Amino acid sequence: MNKILKVTNEKACIGCDLCVLLSSILVDNKLSINKSPIDVKRVGKGYKVSIDPGVHINSDKIVNICPTGVFSIEQDDK
Amino acid sequence: MINKEALTVVYVDLERLEVSKKNHLDYFSYIGGVGLAYKILEDNFERDPVILAIGPFSGIYPYISKTAICFLHNDTVKEYYIGGKLATSLKFAGVDAVVFLGHSKQKVNINISLDEYLVGGEETDFSLHPESTTLNVGEDKITIDDYFSVSGNLVYRKFVEKGIENIHIIGDSSVEIFDRNGYDEAYEDLMEMIDKIDVTPSTFSSCSGCPVGCEFSNKGEIGTSSYLSHCLVSCSFADKIYTDIATVYRCLSVLGYSYTHEHLEFVEGEIKEVRENIYEKIADSKL
C-alpha cells in the first residue's frame, strides 16, 4: 500500500505557511504560495488546510516542518 | 523569479490614480526593507510617500515575517513593521516595495499582482482573486487578513489621509532557487536556530514564514533595532539570527545575490546617510 500525506489535525494549524512553501519546492522545484499543492486559508479564527488530491506527496519533511503537528503520513486508501 | 541586480518598486499615484513599475539598479545596494524604504522616501520626499517594503529573504527563509511601513509624520521618519502574509504575498507578486504618492480625494482600492496593477474608487471593477492577501483600512486600525496589525493609530491615520481603503496583493508567481542544495542546508540550519528566537512559541496565529505562533504576531513592531535585520525585514525576535553577517551572507549567496560580506558590514552607514539626507530635506522645507 502507498503512503500519503494527510491533514489529520487541522485545528492545530497556526498559518505559518512553512508547509505551503516546502511542498511547492518539493513538487515543482520552485517556491510558490498560489501554485503550491498545499493551501492554507484563514477562515474565521482558524485555518483551512487542504492538499491537492492530484498531487501525491509522501514526505516526512512536511510532517516534520509543521510546528503544531497538523500532518501525518498514512496509508493511501485509494 | 528573483531579480538579483535591481529592486522592483511599484508606484501608486493616488492623485492621478495611476500605477507604474520600475526596476531600480540604483536601489540595489540598500538591500530591501528599511534601507530601501528610506531611499524611496528621500527620492519622493515632496509627495508625502508611504512605503511598504520587503527584503530578499521574504517568503524564502524562516522568521522573515514582516513588511516595513515608512512615512513622514510631524517632520519625523516613522518606521513600523507589520506581520501576517503581506511580505510573502509581495515577494510572490514580484515586488520589493510599493509606494503611495500624494493623496486621493475618494476612497480607493488597489490590486497588485505580478503583471497587473489596478487602482480606483467605487466605480472600478475589482474582481478579487481568492488567494489575495488584503491590507484593510477599517474603522479604527489597519489589518492584514482581519488579524495582523500594528500598535497605535498613526499608521491607520496615515492610510486614511491617503484615501486608501484596501490593498490586495496576489502572490501568483514562483521563485527559483539558485543553489538548491545550499538553500536546503541553510534553511535546515536556520530552523535549528529556533532556540535563538527571543519569544516563547505558542499557538496564536503566526506570521507567514514563522513557525513560532507567538502572542505578539498581531501587534507589529515600531522602530528599528538593527538596520541589517530590518533591511531583511525579519521579526525583531529573530535579531540574534539575522544580525549575524556570516549567516546573512551565506543565505544571500545560495540565492545567487552578489552582495559582499563587506557590503553587509557597511550597509548601516549607507542607510544612516540616507536618513540624514531626509532630515536635511525636512529642515530645508521649513526655510
Side-chain angles (χ1 to χ4, degrees), chain A residues 52-72:
Chain A
D52 183 343
V55 180
H56 185 98
I57 309 171
N58 175 10
S59 174
D60 286 338
K61 287 183 179 178
I62 304 289
V63 175
N64 294 336
I65 204 166
C66 177
T68 55
V70 169
F71 302 94
S72 57

Side-chain angles (χ1 to χ4, degrees), chain B residues 4-284:
Chain B
K4 293 167 190 131
E5 293 173 344
L7 297 181
T8 304
V9 180
V10 170
Y11 293 88
V12 181
D13 188 322
L14 294 167
E15 279 162 28
R16 299 186 186 98
L17 297 185
E18 290 172 357
V19 188
S20 60
K21 181 172 87 168
K22 189 173 177 186
N23 290 325
H24 281 275
L25 289 164
D26 51 331
Y27 288 174
F28 193 66
S29 67
Y30 300 99
I31 299 176
V34 70
L36 172 61
Y38 278 5
K39 188 61 187 161
I40 295 169
L41 191 52
E42 182 193 5
D43 289 352
N44 297 275
F45 178 81
E46 289 75 15
R47 299 207 61 199
D48 188 26
V50 170
I51 300 127
L52 304 177
I54 61 165
F57 295 168
S58 303
I60 293 180
Y61 286 117
Y63 327 118
I64 300 286
S65 53
K66 305 294 185 200
T67 300
I69 305 175
C70 289
F71 55 89
L72 292 171
H73 175 74
N74 285 347
D75 299 333
T76 311
V77 179
K78 296 290 178 188
E79 305 122 26
Y80 288 80
Y81 299 91
I82 193 165
K85 207 170 188 166
L86 183 62
T88 300
S89 294
L90 283 167
K91 170 64 71 178
F92 292 104
V95 175
D96 293 297
V98 185
V99 192
F100 302 98
L101 301 168
H103 305 83
S104 170
K105 288 176 186 157
Q106 59 174 327
K107 281 188 175 180
V108 293
N109 287 281
I110 297 136
N111 274 18
I112 295 172
S113 66
L114 185 64
D115 299 314
E116 209 174 6
Y117 312 109
L118 191 59
V119 57
E122 274 178 11
E123 77 290 352
T124 311
D125 180 23
F126 282 93
S127 50
L128 195 54
H129 192 285
E131 303 290 344
S132 67
T133 295
T134 298
L135 185 155
N136 171 254
V137 183
E139 293 288 306
D140 56 0
K141 61 179 179 177
I142 66 160
T143 53
I144 306 288
D145 295 338
D146 299 326
Y147 181 73
F148 302 92
S149 191
V150 285
S151 299
N153 67 357
L154 208 53
V155 178
Y156 166 74
R157 281 164 43 200
K158 194 73 185 180
F159 276 93
V160 169
E161 202 180 290
K162 288 271 166 194
I164 296 169
E165 192 167 39
N166 289 294
I167 304 164
H168 306 291
I169 311 291
I170 302 120
D172 48 3
S173 75
S174 302
V175 167
E176 281 188 57
I177 301 298
F178 171 74
D179 171 2
R180 178 65 197 280
N181 289 337
Y183 169 76
D184 286 352
E185 286 170 15
Y187 193 101
E188 275 179 35
D189 288 348
L190 289 167
M191 288 298 287
E192 283 174 14
M193 293 181 197
I194 196 161
D195 56 348
K196 290 188 176 180
I197 303 291
D198 284 328
V199 70
T200 310
S202 189
T203 55
F204 290 89
S205 283
S206 209
C207 300
S208 182
C210 178
V212 176
C214 79
E215 63 181 297
F216 305 104
S217 65
N218 65 341
K219 295 176 178 63
E221 297 170 12
I222 303 173
T224 302
S225 52
S226 144
Y227 280 111
L228 180 58
S229 65
H230 283 82
C231 284
L232 306 170
V233 211
S234 73
C235 174
S236 62
F237 293 123
D239 266 2
K240 280 182 191 157
I241 298 171
Y242 289 112
T243 53
D244 180 66
I245 290 178
T247 300
V248 174
Y249 177 72
R250 175 194 182 195
C251 292
L252 283 166
S253 298
V254 298
L255 297 179
Y257 283 101
S258 57
Y259 296 113
T260 63
H261 202 284
E262 289 73 24
H263 183 76
L264 300 178
E265 279 187 30
F266 296 121
V267 72
E268 180 170 329
E270 214 174 317
I271 295 167
K272 281 182 174 168
E273 203 173 297
V274 176
R275 190 181 164 90
E276 280 173 23
N277 294 343
I278 295 169
Y279 277 103
E280 271 178 30
K281 287 195 172 199
I282 292 170
D284 290 347

Side-chain angles (χ1 to χ4, degrees), chain A residues 2-58:
Chain A
N2 283 336
K3 293 200 167 187
I4 194 166
L5 184 75
K6 287 193 174 178
V7 178
T8 48
N9 189 14
E10 188 178 64
K11 277 195 290 188
C13 180
I14 56 171
C16 71
D17 286 334
L18 295 189
C19 60
V20 176
L21 294 160
L22 179 60
S23 62
S24 69
I25 202 164
L26 287 174
V27 168
D28 194 29
N29 216 24
K30 291 175 187 169
L31 285 170
S32 169
I33 43 171
N34 287 3
K35 294 172 188 164
S36 171
I38 297 181
D39 185 47
V40 175
K41 265 197 187 67
R42 190 170 171 82
V43 179
K45 291 182 178 177
Y47 291 91
K48 172 78 185 155
V49 184
S50 49
I51 303 172
D52 183 343
V55 180
H56 185 98
I57 309 171
N58 175 10

